[in-house]
Amino acid sequence: MDVVVFGAGSLGSLVGGLLAREHDVTLVGRAAHVERVRASGLRIEGEVEATVHPAARTTLPARADLALVTVKSFDTERAARALARCDVPTVLSLQNGLDNEATLAAHLDGRTVLAGTCTYGARLLGPGRVACTGVGEVALGAREGGPSVAADRTGRAFERAGVEHVVAEDMPRRVWEKLAVNAGVNAATALARVPNGALSDPPGRDVAHAAAREVAQSARGEGIDLTEARAVASVDRVVRATASNRSSMLQDVERGTRTEIDAINGRIAGPDAPVNATLAALVRTWEDAEGLRES
Ligand SMILES: NC(=O)c1ccc[n+]([C@@H]2O[C@H](COP(=O)([O-])OP(=O)(O)OC[C@H]3O[C@@H](n4cnc5c(N)ncnc54)[C@H](O)[C@@H]3O)[C@@H](O)[C@H]2O)c1
Ligand SMILES: CC(C)(CO)[C@@H](O)C(=O)[O-]
């Protein structure tokens, strides 16, 4: 299969690199990374060790069988416009946050846009080098839920490359459950400058639970079967499993780069979600002060 990965940063390089063990993969990323991958391949280190030789470019190729979207959520709109000019029948988002698939679908008439969630951990170490910080799983399926021929075909491609995955018929609930975890963990850890494990006990745990409960309430308002108990249990499970990790939003704040707050807590913020509204307002205040929201 010809697979193009749009956004070869941490996650895109890892998943693209794993798929390159079996498929013709093209990584689309920034110049320094692209040049190093072209010159000496992509080195995967950590929980998976491999050197692979995908193609690498700074712009999309003319065609592919499958596109993975792994840009940050604030770049989804631009990615969608670029993908509209690429002849690719199936597009799979592996991003965090809500509405990425809807944004893609709005620009990609006649293509199949699949929803995905990913619990693999990835960190770009430098040009040509990516760390697998945790072997997780990709869940993928129809963005409206139910069966999908394109999801089955994509699942078989992941299977052949040895990428842990599940083809799921309940992607809307899974995307919202992942949102509950990110809403509970990311902003609180970024604002308090603590690793995820600091949310195991009050008062951090109370903030994380309250944010996750609001996500579940909002999900049910949109017809998604996500209970508050399930959302809170997911937060607790992830906090335990990733206790020593620094969340992606904390890493963004420490690096001084824009966060995904708009697609996470910001998506829920409103009069019925005061905890998410407060978390989103504080992170946006920091982004404004750093001049990160201007582009
Ligand atoms: N890193 C992880 O472990 C992980 C795990 C699960 C989900 N996610 C989600 O995956 C998404 C990507 O996360 P990440 O950590 O890989 O971010 P990242 O910033 O490392 O990677 C995104 C990359 O896309 C590149 N990019 C953006 N627009 C581009 C363009 N037009 N042309 C070429 N390159 C472009 C950026 O330069 C960047 O290198 C996010 O939504 C994140 O929440 C990440
Ligand atoms: C699961 C998670 C919260 C663990 O740090 C991760 O999705 C993140 O950091 O964004």
Side-chain angles (χ1 to χ4, degrees), residues 129-149:
R129 287 177 62 212
V130 65
C132 175
T133 55
V135 173
E137 181 182 76
V138 172
L140 65 99
R143 68 188 184 94
E144 316 80 1
S148 157
V149 172

Side-chain angles (χ1 to χ4, degrees), residues 6-12 28-30 58 70-73 75 94-96 118 120-122 178 260:
F6 194 37
S10 300
L11 187 65
V28 178
R30 300 302 184 195
T58 54
T70 54
V71 297
K72 295 268 197 173
S73 50
D75 278 329
L94 295 179
Q95 303 157 277
N96 282 331
C118 178
Y120 274 89
K178 184 93 197 282
E260 297 189 291

Side-chain angles (χ1 to χ4, degrees), residues 58-249:
T58 54
T59 54
L60 278 166
R63 68 155 305 280
D65 298 317
L66 168 69
L68 304 187
V69 180
T70 54
V71 297
K72 295 268 197 173
S73 50
F74 48 79
D75 278 329
T76 305
E77 176 88 33
R78 262 183 290 225
R81 288 180 198 280
L83 281 163
R85 296 189 296 273
C86 176
D87 175 12
V88 58
T90 306
V91 177
L92 166 63
S93 162
L94 295 179
Q95 303 157 277
N96 282 331
L98 222 54
D99 299 334
N100 292 302
E101 297 84 6
T103 302
L104 291 165
H107 291 276
L108 299 175
D109 225 14
R111 330 283 183 89
T112 303
V113 176
L114 299 173
T117 59
C118 178
T119 55
Y120 274 89
R123 191 157 49 85
L124 204 63
L125 298 171
R129 287 177 62 212
V130 65
C132 175
T133 55
V135 173
E137 181 182 76
V138 172
L140 65 99
R143 68 188 184 94
E144 316 80 1
S148 157
V149 172
D152 290 341
R153 195 181 312 120
T154 304
R156 285 194 295 276
F158 277 61
E159 180 73 36
R160 283 201 298 281
V163 179
E164 299 296 328
H165 70 285
V166 57
V167 177
E169 296 195 4
D170 60 347
M171 283 315 297
R173 189 193 56 72
R174 286 172 183 262
V175 168
W176 275 91
E177 192 169 336
K178 184 93 197 282
L179 181 76
V181 171
N182 290 129
V185 173
N186 292 25
T189 52
L191 291 165
R193 306 285 201 277
V194 290
N196 296 352
L199 304 183
S200 308
D201 299 299
R205 186 178 66 190
D206 300 338
V207 175
H209 283 185
R213 276 196 208 96
E214 288 179 359
V215 173
Q217 287 158 11
S218 182
R220 287 203 304 285
E222 296 196 22
I224 306 293
D225 179 23
L226 178 62
T227 64
E228 289 171 41
R230 185 169 182 140
V232 163
S234 291
V235 168
D236 287 343
R237 181 169 32 77
V238 170
V239 164
R240 266 196 312 276
T242 64
S244 61
N245 290 13
R246 300 176 91 70
S247 76
S248 54
M249 199 172 288

Side-chain angles (χ1 to χ4, degrees), residues 253-265:
V253 168
E254 287 174 334
R255 270 196 307 261
T257 55
R258 188 171 176 185
T259 75
E260 297 189 291
I261 194 71
D262 292 347
I264 301 177
N265 308 82

Side-chain angles (χ1 to χ4, degrees), residues 31-37 40-43 124-130:
H33 187 49
V34 163
E35 279 160 25
R36 188 64 64 88
V37 171
S40 38
L42 173 74
R43 179 76 196 137
L124 204 63
L125 298 171
R129 287 177 62 212
V130 65

